[in-house]
């Protein structure tokens, strides 16, 4: 098995990035529960024949779709070691907990957070953003909110983020009980960053209307263009207005390790909480999201169980655990070579992205998108060259359909795999947006 998967990774360039799943293969996975045991070798054969050739494609150097990380061999092997230990991090005294503590310590150092800051592995930034919203909610309403819910406080909380923010921020507002309508979506400027003046005006307007602003979410690397908000300006506003300052750094936060890009993250060090993914630019295998929280005590108060066996266990674990259970060894394999993280693995992807864009620019990329690219935060930040850009909101349906056909032709030549996505311009989702994707 190990040989097969190593051969697969070594020779992946000889394969198409992605290929459609034949109906016959899909059909085999509609069978019912097996009635007897299956030989491990047969399961492995099935994996090699029916699963491996029809994967997402994100481990291929030609993959330019979405913001998936590629993973890597050390990460794969670390995953095997972690599964061999099969540690439960819910308590007790064992080294996997120390490993997690060490990663938290490293992240505190990277972002200049105090030693009292807490950190926690979660499945991804969607979950980390949810935790950020919940901790901010606790700060505003007190720990009683956990027992009494949001209604008795009698405050109408409102949060702010930009039109370019990821949809999971609105989802976090929804799941927190505050409601996605309590997310004030602020327009972006020409660089796809949150418009700071519009944000200030929105806060003033909401206060006048009797609402309670409590949270501002900045983005370090937006999902559509890779733009980085002016985090220093957001930190200033948050301080002045007494808002919780959360940064969605799913894509961009780890660029704090890149001397080229780190200056563009200035201000992230003043955040109250930072969400990030090791499984994107970190090239760590899925899943490995993380949240770093300046006020570790508040983080714990937001989630700790008040009584019973779990409280005792939590106390034995030094009050460290809040929700995660699984030992994610992968970041160790990666972060132990933190310099490589940005300067080798990720740049491999970036370079591939650049070559590819050169190819697209040579003929396939519609002219207005090309100009649009030059203006975006992506071109300036060095992020997201592996993404194509959101189509102009003013594009006609036939023009958009022609674009899609072009991208499909490029993609199915097999050498690259692009994601062609239209930005809705509203992270609360397409339903509220007038800019729906055209049906072609
Ligand atoms: C800016 C941003 N935030 C959040 C997310 C969600 O991350 P995850 O899929 O790890 O939950 C993404 C995913 O692409 C993203 O790009």
């Amino acid at each position: 098995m190990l040989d097969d998967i190593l051969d697969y990774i070594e020779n992946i360039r000889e394969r198409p990035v992605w290929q459609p799943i034949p109906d016959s293969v899909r059909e085999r996975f509609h069978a019912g529960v097996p009635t007897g045991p299956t030989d491990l070798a047969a399961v492995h054969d099935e994996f090699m024949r029916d699963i491996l050739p029809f994967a997402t494609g994100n481990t291929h150097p030609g993959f330019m779709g979405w913001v998936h990380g590629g993973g890597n061999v050390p990460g794969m092997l670390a995953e095997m070691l972690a599964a061999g230990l099969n540690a439960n991090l819910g308590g007790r005294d064992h080294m996997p907990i120390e490993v997690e503590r060490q990663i938290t310590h490293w992240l505190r150092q990277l972002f200049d957070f105090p030693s009292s800051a807490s950190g926690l592995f979660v499945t991804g930034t969607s979950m980390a953003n949810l935790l950020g919203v919940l901790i901010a909610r606790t700060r505003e309403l007190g720990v009683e909110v956990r027992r009494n819910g949001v209604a008795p406080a009698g405050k109408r909380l409102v949060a702010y983020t930009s039109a370019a923010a990821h949809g999971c921020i609105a989802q976090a507002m929804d799941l927190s009980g505050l409601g996605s309508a309590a997310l004030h979506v602020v327009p972006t400027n020409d660089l796809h960053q949150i418009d700071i003046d519009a944000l200030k005006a929105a806060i003033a307007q909401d206060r006048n209307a009797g609402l309670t602003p409590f949270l501002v979410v900045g983005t370090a690397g937006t999902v559509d263009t890779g733009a980085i908000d002016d985090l220093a300006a957001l930190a200033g506003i948050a301080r002045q207005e007494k808002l919780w300052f959360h940064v969605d750094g799913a894509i961009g936060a780890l660029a704090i390790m890149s001397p080229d890009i780190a200056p563009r993250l200035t201000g992230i060090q003043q955040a109250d909480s930072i969400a990030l993914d090791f499984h994107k630019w970190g090239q760590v295998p899925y899943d490995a999201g993380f949240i770093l929280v300046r006020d570790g005590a508040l983080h714990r108060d937001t989630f700790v169980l008040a009584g019973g066996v779990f409280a005792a266990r939590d106390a034995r674990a030094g009050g460290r655990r809040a929700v995660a259970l699984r030992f994610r060894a992968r970041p160790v394999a990666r972060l132990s070579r933190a310099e490589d993280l940005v300067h080798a693995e990720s740049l491999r992807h970036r370079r591939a992205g650049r070559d590819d864009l050169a190819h697209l620019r040579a003929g396939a990329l519609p002219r207005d998108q090309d100009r649009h690219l030059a203006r975006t935060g992506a071109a300036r930040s060095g992020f997201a060259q592996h993404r194509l850009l959101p189509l102009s909101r003013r594009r006609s349906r036939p023009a958009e359909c022609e674009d899609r056909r072009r991208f499909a032709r490029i993609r199915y030549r097999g050498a690259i795999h692009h994601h062609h996505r239209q930005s809705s311009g509203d992270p609360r989702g397409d339903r509220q947006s007038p800019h729906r994707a055209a049906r072609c």
Side-chain angles (χ1 to χ4, degrees), residues 426-439:
D426 187 335
R428 290 173 302 191
D430 277 333
R431 260 190 308 146
Q432 282 112 321
S433 166
H435 310 297
R436 297 230 178 142
R439 282 179 185 277

Side-chain angles (χ1 to χ4, degrees), residues 20-158:
I21 308 169
D23 288 345
S24 56
V25 173
R26 211 186 287 273
E27 197 55 38
R28 282 201 279 275
F29 286 74
H30 294 166
V33 181
T35 51
T38 310
D39 190 61
L40 186 57
V43 176
H44 180 216
D45 288 348
E46 187 182 29
F47 174 81
M48 295 302 293
R49 186 193 62 221
D50 292 344
I51 297 175
L52 180 136
F54 308 108
T56 325
N58 52 314
T59 56
H60 195 292
F63 182 85
M64 309 293 160
W66 303 282
V67 287
H68 293 359
N72 54 45
V73 171
M76 182 188 88
L77 296 175
E79 180 83 348
M80 186 180 75
L81 300 183
L85 290 182
N86 198 24
N88 176 326
L89 273 66
R92 293 165 291 277
D93 187 19
H94 50 115
M95 277 312 287
I97 289 179
E98 294 303 324
V99 172
E100 214 180 88
R101 282 183 175 145
Q102 180 175 44
I103 304 275
T104 301
H105 178 58
W106 287 348
L107 288 177
R108 281 189 205 114
Q109 282 187 321
L110 283 173
F111 293 103
D112 282 341
F113 269 44
S115 58
S116 52
S118 57
L120 190 73
F121 277 98
V122 289
T123 48
T125 290
S126 304
M127 185 56 81
N129 285 338
L130 171 60
L131 299 196
V133 168
L134 291 172
I135 301 166
R137 192 192 68 167
T138 306
R139 211 250 331 227
E140 188 60 42
L141 299 182
V143 284
E144 308 79 51
V145 69
R146 297 184 57 198
R147 185 181 161 82
N148 302 332
V150 293
K155 288 183 179 175
R156 286 167 60 205
L157 302 194
V158 58

Side-chain angles (χ1 to χ4, degrees), residues 67 123-127 129 165-166 168-169 219-223 248-251 277 279-280 286 289:
V67 287
T123 48
T125 290
S126 304
M127 185 56 81
N129 285 338
H166 194 270
C168 64
I169 311 287
T219 304
T222 58
V223 65
D248 175 346
I251 305 173
D277 279 330
H279 58 222
K280 292 194 167 78
Y286 287 95

Side-chain angles (χ1 to χ4, degrees), residues 7-21:
D7 287 349
Y8 166 75
I9 293 171
E10 187 175 2
N11 302 315
I12 198 156
R13 283 169 191 273
E14 290 157 27
R15 291 174 170 271
V17 181
W18 177 87
Q19 54 185 331
I21 308 169

Side-chain angles (χ1 to χ4, degrees), residues 222-383:
T222 58
V223 65
D224 285 331
T225 66
I228 302 170
D229 283 338
D230 183 342
L231 302 176
L234 290 182
I237 292 174
R239 203 169 37 245
Q240 203 176 341
E241 299 282 348
K242 300 195 171 24
L243 311 182
W244 185 272
F245 177 31
H246 176 80
V247 175
D248 175 346
I251 305 173
L254 285 180
I256 197 79
M257 288 185 276
S258 159
D260 303 353
I261 307 176
R264 292 183 47 77
L265 294 173
T266 300
I268 198 169
Q269 299 85 348
Q270 295 163 56
D272 291 300
S273 48
I274 303 172
L276 59 92
D277 279 330
F278 293 102
H279 58 222
K280 292 194 167 78
W281 254 37
Q283 311 300 343
V284 164
Y286 287 95
D287 53 15
F290 196 85
I291 183 163
L292 189 66
V293 184
R294 179 176 301 281
D295 185 342
L298 185 65
H299 180 190
R300 185 172 180 277
D301 287 349
T302 303
F303 296 104
V304 72
L305 290 164
V309 63
F310 290 112
R313 178 197 282 183
D314 191 78
R316 278 200 301 280
R320 180 196 45 78
R321 297 235 54 80
V323 284
L325 205 60
R326 175 165 178 224
F327 175 41
R328 289 168 170 86
R330 289 80 49 106
V332 187
R334 293 310 307 134
L335 284 184
S336 60
R337 302 185 56 195
E339 279 300 299
D340 291 358
L341 182 94
V342 168
H343 292 292
E345 298 286 348
S346 297
L347 290 184
R348 177 173 64 85
H349 276 252
R350 283 178 57 193
R351 234 175 271 124
R354 285 203 174 116
D355 293 350
D356 182 53
L357 278 178
H359 166 72
L360 287 171
R361 282 170 177 226
L365 196 66
R367 283 189 70 90
D368 59 340
Q369 286 198 16
D370 197 13
R371 281 201 297 273
H372 178 61
L373 171 69
R375 287 202 315 265
T376 61
R380 287 157 45 92
S381 70
F383 287 141

